[in-house]
């Protein structure tokens, strides 16, 4: 399943300091097949990560271990996502 993590920034200074570790963490999970896609919002107020996981518990574990969440630079909202198969028939 896919799980979407919304990660709004709550501490810009802390986020700037921790961002390299966040990117390294996301890249490592991508290489392990646990991240489908990730990126910042264009308004620079946060970003999202789409995790590939077997359960909500696994996705939550992955998302909560992200350095920006651990250090309190961003909050986390995690939702299971069921994308449409397009084009619709």
């Amino acid at each position: 399943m896919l799980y979407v993590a919304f990660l709004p920034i709550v501490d810009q200074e802390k986020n700037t300091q921790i961002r390299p570790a966040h990117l390294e963490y996301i890249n490592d999970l991508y290489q392990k097949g646990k991240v489908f896609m990730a990126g910042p919002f264009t308004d620079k107020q946060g970003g999202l990560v789409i995790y590939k996981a077997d359960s909500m518990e696994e996705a939550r574990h992955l998302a909560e271990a992200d350095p920006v969440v651990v250090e309190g630079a961003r909050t986390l909202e995690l939702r299971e996502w069921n994308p449409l198969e397009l084009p619709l028939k």
Side-chain angles (χ1 to χ4, degrees):
M1 289 299 300
L2 297 176
Y3 299 86
V4 177
F6 294 92
L7 298 164
I9 296 170
V10 293
D11 186 327
Q12 190 66 50
E13 184 176 327
K14 195 179 280 189
N15 184 72
T16 299
Q17 294 171 344
I18 298 167
R19 190 169 185 265
H22 162 70
L23 295 176
E24 183 178 325
Y25 179 73
I26 296 303
N27 190 57
D28 182 54
L29 289 179
Y30 177 81
Q31 291 177 356
K32 292 176 179 176
K34 291 297 180 180
V35 167
F36 174 68
M37 215 172 232
F41 297 124
T42 57
D43 66 3
K44 301 182 188 217
Q45 297 302 306
L48 70 80
V49 178
I50 302 174
Y51 291 97
K52 291 191 257 183
D54 295 328
S55 66
M56 176 61 93
E57 292 77 23
E58 179 188 9
R60 184 164 305 283
H61 173 76
L62 294 171
E64 289 178 347
D66 187 325
V68 292
V69 176
V70 170
E71 296 296 326
R74 300 186 189 195
T75 59
L76 169 66
E77 179 185 346
L78 186 65
R79 313 259 322 253
E80 188 173 339
W81 186 47
N82 187 20
L84 294 174
E85 291 192 30
L86 297 171
L88 298 174
K89 296 177 183 178

